[in-house]
Amino acid sequence: MKKLEQGTFLTMLVLVTAVFFFLLKPFFGAVFWACVIGLVFAPLYQRFLKLWKNRATFAALSTLVVVITIGVIPAVFVTVSFFQEGAALYQRLQTGDINIGERIEQIRQAFPAIQSLMDRFNLDLSTFKSQLSNAAVTVSQFIAQNAVQFGQNAAQWFVSLGLMLYLAFFMLKDGTDLVAQLTRALPLGDERERLLFSKFAEVTRATIKGNLVVAVIQGGLGGIIFWILGIPAPLLWGVVMTLLSLIPMVGAGLVWVPVAIYLFAVGSWIQGLVLTGFGAGVIGLVDNFLRPILVGRDTKLPDYLVLLSTLGGFVWFGINGFVIGPLLASLFVAFWEIFIRDFNTPEETG
């Protein structure tokens, strides 16, 4: 009878938990980023806690002020400007002010080797120009349409933002107690749970500091040099470079290298040299210099695993996937390490 009661209770527990998570599904992004803020800014919260003499409310509020100042306000400004420049780019493509095919033709005439290379691989330049032009129109149209949708759903977006900050306040203030309760509740063994929570925190901090911050700096530098050189829509391209820098083995070079080639093709040699030098000497080296400083001794997954998990994360979770993907990969590795250590050790022979 006791086993039946326990089985029934555990079944109901799983069912209620699943229904509760389903209930929270519309707020997944807000809940997830509140947890991320609680993890990443926990050291700052501890400093404020000492400064305010263990007054947790003031420490959490001070931490949120820093989060809003360095994260939320710039993100809102960049998002609005990104949609504005995307809509403007779509209009210029529609009116013919920007002709992708014509610019590709200029590159072909300036660099005949490109045509020879395409002929060698049986590639049709006219088809390539058509496909690239269609892709540019499709992407810019998508941004323009989402700009309208973003304006219409601005109220909902700000509600989600407010919810995220509200939850982040409690994640900072009560995060230690929540982890302790989870450790008591989960039937995995306290040592394993501490290891998994530690891995979760390490990967989250490493991903945010080592990937997001570096990508934002690279995209920001790219946008600044585009603006200085007078290249259209510098903020839009800066955001694109930021997103590409989040993907391992891709990076901002996928944007600035073709632009530099185009500048050389149209005879803007000084601009091309400046962009090439800045891209290779500054943007390209940011990752090598900043990542070790920002990540420090935090965990590092193999590059191929980071690439696959990041791409998979983008497919399944959108922009949140650049954190969720590597996080799931890290937990996958951690679980198997624990299994090998605790359940698959070789038997001792007498």
Side-chain angles (χ1 to χ4, degrees):
M1 186 67 179
K2 187 176 180 180
K3 290 184 178 180
L4 178 63
E5 291 178 355
Q6 289 180 341
T8 303
F9 175 78
L10 290 175
T11 302
M12 293 300 296
L13 176 65
V14 172
L15 180 63
V16 170
T17 303
V19 172
F20 178 71
F21 278 114
F22 179 78
L23 186 68
L24 295 182
K25 184 179 178 182
F27 313 105
F28 171 78
V31 174
F32 174 73
W33 283 104
C35 295
V36 169
I37 290 173
L39 283 171
V40 173
F41 289 90
L44 180 61
Y45 167 75
Q46 294 297 329
R47 292 185 182 181
F48 280 129
L49 196 61
K50 293 180 181 178
L51 179 65
W52 290 108
K53 299 179 180 179
N54 293 325
R55 299 169 71 179
T57 300
F58 286 102
L61 288 175
S62 300
T63 307
L64 284 183
V65 169
V66 174
V67 172
I68 293 170
T69 303
I70 68 174
V72 175
I73 294 176
V76 171
F77 170 77
V78 169
T79 300
V80 173
S81 301
F82 171 78
F83 283 126
Q84 288 177 341
E85 289 195 357
L89 179 63
Y90 174 66
Q91 292 296 327
R92 296 184 68 182
L93 287 168
Q94 286 291 90
T95 59
D97 187 25
I98 297 179
N99 191 318
I100 301 295
E102 180 181 325
R103 301 196 176 193
I104 294 176
E105 184 63 25
Q106 289 177 314
I107 295 175
R108 186 191 67 80
Q109 293 177 359
F111 301 101
I114 293 178
Q115 182 65 58
S116 301
L117 184 64
M118 296 189 74
D119 291 339
R120 180 177 299 179
F121 290 96
N122 295 320
L123 297 175
D124 185 9
L125 183 60
S126 60
T127 302
F128 176 73
K129 288 192 294 185
S130 176
Q131 292 176 343
L132 190 60
S133 299
N134 293 335
V137 172
T138 301
V139 172
S140 59
Q141 183 181 18
F142 175 79
I143 296 173
Q145 290 173 346
N146 278 269
V148 176
Q149 186 177 2
F150 176 78
Q152 293 173 344
N153 298 333
Q156 180 181 353
W157 190 84
F158 279 105
V159 168
S160 297
L161 177 62
L163 178 62
M164 180 194 73
L165 294 174
Y166 176 76
L167 293 173
F169 170 82
F170 290 101
M171 292 297 174
L172 290 165
K173 183 172 176 289
D174 304 324
T176 303
D177 294 336
L178 289 172
V179 171
Q181 290 180 13
L182 283 173
T183 302
R184 290 180 57 191
L186 294 175
L188 300 176
D190 289 351
E191 182 185 353
R192 295 173 192 148
E193 289 159 8
R194 282 192 290 269
L195 176 62
L196 291 172
F197 283 130
S198 174
K199 181 70 68 174
F200 182 92
E202 284 179 358
V203 173
T204 302
R205 292 194 184 108
T207 303
I208 295 296
K209 293 189 296 182
N211 290 352
L212 181 60
V213 174
V214 170
V216 168
I217 292 175
Q218 287 183 314
L221 290 171
I224 290 171
I225 194 63
F226 274 34
W227 175 69
I228 292 173
L229 297 176
I231 296 169
L235 193 142
L236 184 146
W237 293 118
V239 172
V240 172
M241 282 186 272
T242 298
L243 295 175
L244 291 174
S245 297
L246 291 172
I247 304 175
M249 302 175 64
V250 178
L254 202 62
V255 174
W256 67 259
V257 169
V259 174
I261 293 174
Y262 171 75
L263 291 174
F264 286 125
V266 298
S268 301
W269 287 91
I270 295 178
Q271 290 178 300
L273 288 172
V274 170
L275 181 57
T276 301
F278 190 86
V282 179
I283 298 176
L285 295 181
V286 163
D287 184 82
N288 295 330
F289 282 103
L290 280 186
R291 194 179 298 274
I293 296 173
L294 294 172
V295 177
R297 296 182 179 180
D298 286 344
T299 185
K300 180 174 173 59
L301 294 170
D303 290 339
Y304 64 88
L305 200 57
V306 174
L307 175 62
L308 292 174
S309 61
T310 302
L311 293 176
F314 274 124
V315 171
W316 285 104
F317 302 101
I319 190 64
N320 298 327
F322 82 90
V323 176
I324 299 176
L327 179 59
L328 292 176
S330 178
L331 291 177
F332 168 79
V333 172
F335 267 101
W336 276 101
E337 287 177 348
I338 292 173
F339 173 77
I340 293 171
R341 184 194 67 185
D342 295 348
F343 299 98
N344 201 30
T345 53
E347 296 183 0
E348 295 183 0
T349 56

